[in-house]
Structure formats: C-alpha cells, structure tokens
Amino acid sequence: MVDRRHDSQTDRTGFDETKNYLSTALGRVVPRAVARRAIEVTVSTDAAEYAPDEPVAITVAIRNRLPVPIEVPTSTRRSWGWAVDGVTEATDERRYVRADESALSLRAGETKRATATWNGRFRRTDDDGLDRSVRAERGDHTITAFVPVPDADERHEAVTQIRIR
C-alpha cells in the first residue's frame, strides 16, 4: 500500500517538483553513462523494529552528485520504486505502468525525496484472481529503493533492514 504526500508542489512520482527548463535542457548535454553513475539512491525507515501490521514509513532520496544538472533515462514511466523482500510495492498484483522510457531530471547537487508507507502486509493474488492481504512474517525484512535505469552495468538501488517482532 502506497501513501505519498500530495500537494500543489508534488509531481506524479512523489517528488517535490519545481520545473526548471534550463536545468532540464542542460541535463541532456551530460552523457547518459555519466548521468547514470552520478545518481546516488538511499532508503531509510522511521524505525528499525515494528510490531505486526504497524505501518513502516519509507523515505527514498535520489541525489545528483555532480555540480551540473543531469537527466537520467528510466526504463519505464516510473522514475523510482520500492520493494519489500524483492516484491515491488509489497504486492504481486499486475502493475499498469507504461513501458515507455522516461527520464529523471536533477539539478546540480539536487536531492529529491519521496515517502511511501508499507502497512506490514503483502497483497497476493491467488489462482482464482482474488486479492488477499497476507501479514508479513516475524523476523528480518529487506526494504529496497531503486531507479529503473535501462542497460546499466550497475544497479541503482539502496537497501535497509527492518525487523517485525
């Protein structure tokens, strides 16, 4: 389950966004390979340990390490995502995200932040096509944040561990 802040300054990706057309144009000048290596992804949660069904606040930060604007192509319209134990957005439901490439634009030295909330459950679709909610098992779980960069030699992701007691 995703819960992203929305206000007049938040775009469809969950980032606080102020469009800077000059930065976007300059970002296209930086070679794709350099732009891909310039991004740094981090992920954190509001605690390290949770009770069953306790909401987990996930914060994702994507930073441009260069002193110039960059534009990083993404393999889908989604410019970032998160997963729990390898399950994107903690659901195996079919996602309707267009496969068209998109791009993530960052100004010089900019860090974009977004938040999501995981409710401590996985959404599963059974053989009959019915959805059900399954509580995460007690123990350690891996939260991953990623930028879906096409044809990259390295993965642009970060991980953190949480424990459900």
Side-chain angles (χ1 to χ4, degrees):
M1 174 175 277
V2 177
D3 177 26
R4 295 187 184 106
R5 294 176 313 177
H6 287 286
D7 59 32
S8 62
Q9 292 296 313
T10 304
D11 75 356
R12 66 179 169 72
T13 62
F15 294 124
D16 291 338
E17 192 68 41
T18 303
K19 192 72 170 171
N20 184 323
Y21 295 99
L22 178 59
S23 290
T24 301
L26 288 173
R28 291 185 179 127
V29 176
V30 176
R32 284 182 165 197
V34 173
R36 281 194 303 255
R37 286 191 293 273
I39 62 171
E40 177 181 65
V41 179
T42 59
V43 63
S44 61
T45 57
D46 57 334
E49 195 168 288
Y50 297 88
D53 291 329
E54 182 179 354
V56 178
I58 301 167
T59 301
V60 177
I62 302 171
R63 182 173 76 98
N64 173 8
R65 295 183 293 192
L66 293 179
V68 296
I70 59 171
E71 185 174 281
V72 180
T74 59
S75 57
T76 67
R77 297 291 295 170
R78 170 181 290 168
S79 58
W80 70 280
W82 61 276
V84 179
D85 296 338
V87 180
T88 303
E89 294 182 1
T91 180
D92 63 2
E93 293 176 312
R94 181 177 219 156
R95 284 177 209 73
Y96 296 99
V97 178
R98 291 191 311 193
D100 303 339
E101 282 193 10
S102 185
L104 175 62
S105 296
L106 295 149
R107 293 184 292 263
E110 179 182 16
T111 299
K112 291 189 177 191
R113 286 184 177 76
T115 58
T117 301
W118 176 48
N119 64 0
R121 294 178 164 265
F122 292 95
R123 286 193 60 82
R124 303 284 187 204
T125 304
D126 62 21
D127 294 336
D128 297 327
L130 299 174
D131 291 334
R132 58 189 172 88
S133 180
V134 178
R135 179 183 286 170
E137 294 179 11
R138 295 177 189 271
D140 294 334
H141 295 276
T142 302
I143 308 283
T144 307
F146 60 89
V147 175
V149 178
D151 305 323
D153 295 334
E154 59 195 56
R155 297 201 32 111
H156 295 294
E157 67 181 24
V159 299
T160 190
Q161 293 287 125
I162 63 163
R163 173 174 281 282
I164 296 180
R165 55 182 185 274

